Amino acid sequence: MSNNKKELEVSFDFDFLEKVIVGIGEVSQITEIPTRQIRYWEEKGIIHSLTEEEGRNRRYDYKNIKKILLIKELLEEGYTLDASAEKVAKRMEMIEETFKKLKKG
C-alpha cells in the first residue's frame, strides 16, 4: 500500500471522527476561542454540547468543533454571528451528505 493511500485512509477515518469528544477547555485551545464565547454560542443554539446535566463540564463532538471553526473563519471575514451560523448550518448539511456518500462508498 502506498503512503498516499494510507494517509487518505487516516484522514477519512469516520469511525474515529464519530468518537472524538472533548471538553470545552480543549475546544477553546484547539479553536483559540474563549470558553465564554463558546458558551454564548451554545446558549444561542448555534452549537450543542453533549452534556445534558446542568453544572457538568460541556463536551463537544467533531461536528460541533467543525462548526466552531467555520464560524470563526466567517467572523474573521466580516460576517455577523447570525449570518455565520446560518451559512455554517447550510455548509454542515452539505458536508454531512457528502460524508454519508463517502462512508457508503
Side-chain angles (χ1 to χ4, degrees):
M1 183 183 304
S2 72
N3 280 345
N4 288 343
K5 188 171 183 178
K6 192 180 266 187
E7 288 175 20
L8 182 63
E9 288 176 10
V10 171
S11 65
F12 288 104
D13 187 346
F14 298 107
D15 292 331
F16 173 76
L17 291 178
E18 289 176 356
K19 294 175 186 172
V20 171
I21 299 173
V22 295
I24 192 169
E26 291 90 349
V27 173
S28 178
Q29 289 177 338
I30 292 166
T31 62
E32 298 180 346
I33 295 176
T35 56
R36 176 177 275 171
Q37 191 170 359
I38 294 170
R39 286 185 190 104
Y40 176 70
W41 292 359
E42 186 175 346
E43 288 170 11
K44 287 190 61 99
I46 296 169
I47 59 170
H48 305 283
S49 79
L50 303 177
T51 308
E52 294 181 14
E53 296 178 33
E54 188 64 34
R56 295 218 32 211
N57 192 16
R58 291 174 168 92
R59 302 184 64 73
Y60 299 91
D61 60 3
Y62 169 78
K63 291 176 188 175
N64 279 287
I65 295 168
K66 180 72 173 173
K67 282 183 188 179
I68 291 168
L69 290 170
L70 291 171
I71 290 169
K72 178 184 176 187
E73 180 182 322
L74 291 170
L75 290 172
E76 290 171 353
E77 291 177 7
Y79 286 84
T80 66
L81 179 58
D82 290 336
S84 297
E86 186 177 322
K87 192 170 183 82
V88 166
K90 290 177 184 174
R91 189 178 297 178
M92 291 302 293
E93 286 178 23
M94 181 186 69
I95 290 170
E96 187 69 29
E97 289 174 18
T98 302
F99 276 171
K100 285 179 184 177
K101 289 176 186 174
L102 288 172
K103 196 172 181 179
K104 288 180 183 178

